[in-house]
Amino acid sequence: MGMGTTERSGNSRARPPRQLRRSITLPQAVALYAGAVIGAGVLILPGVGAGTAGPASLVAWAFDGLLGIPIALTFAELAAHFPDAGGVATFAARAFGAGAGAVVGWSYFVAAAVAQALVVLTGGHYAADALH
């Protein structure tokens, strides 16, 4: 069965392949990537923020968690539609071509490495504070 066909109870009929709208521009893509990297940097200051804002920081944390739900649902829908290995790189490659998929894949790899480094730095900072 080729792409763009559906088979139901032995009866197949052709349908046009679904196309994602290509509306993200290069400046928008750069802004999304920069936001992911900068967002990882927020891991450095949670204690200071909670100490300054008090209970309001819990409200902000809960609100941020609620904002993550539509993002997770979007990725779940894309993964159900395109069950290939590669995650967001696969989605970008299907939407914008192999070059864009490679850039997105490497960008997510670098962003994940930076986020993990910041988690380790934060853990070391907290451990040092606890020991002194």
Side-chain angles (χ1 to χ4, degrees), residues 12 14 21 56 71 79 87 111-112:
S12 62
R21 192 172 57 151
I71 295 168

Side-chain angles (χ1 to χ4, degrees), residues 4 7-8 14 16 18 22 24-25 44-45 52 60 62 67 74 76 78 81-82 86-87 91 99 116 121 126:
E7 188 173 320
R8 295 181 187 193
R18 297 179 189 199
R22 298 179 183 197
I24 296 178
T25 64
I44 297 292
L45 301 173
T52 304
L67 289 178
T74 300
L78 283 168
H81 247 334
F82 307 115
F91 309 147
Q116 289 303 315
L121 287 172
Y126 289 154

Side-chain angles (χ1 to χ4, degrees), residues 68-79:
I69 292 172
I71 295 168
L73 291 174
T74 300
F75 277 110
E77 183 71 25
L78 283 168

Side-chain angles (χ1 to χ4, degrees), residues 8-132:
R8 295 181 187 193
S9 305
N11 183 13
S12 62
R13 64 179 181 177
R15 69 173 189 208
R18 297 179 189 199
Q19 295 290 322
L20 297 176
R21 192 172 57 151
R22 298 179 183 197
S23 62
I24 296 178
T25 64
L26 180 61
Q28 290 170 329
V30 169
L32 287 170
Y33 174 68
V37 173
I38 292 169
V42 172
L43 295 173
I44 297 292
L45 301 173
V48 174
T52 304
S57 66
L58 292 176
V59 173
W61 179 78
F63 182 70
D64 187 44
L66 289 174
L67 289 178
I69 292 172
I71 295 168
L73 291 174
T74 300
F75 277 110
E77 183 71 25
L78 283 168
H81 247 334
F82 307 115
D84 302 329
V88 293
T90 300
F91 309 147
R94 286 183 176 258
F96 304 112
V103 169
V104 168
W106 278 105
S107 298
Y108 265 74
F109 176 76
V110 170
V114 168
Q116 289 303 315
L118 289 172
V119 167
V120 169
L121 287 172
T122 303
H125 177 74
Y126 289 154
D129 283 351
L131 294 175
H132 286 85

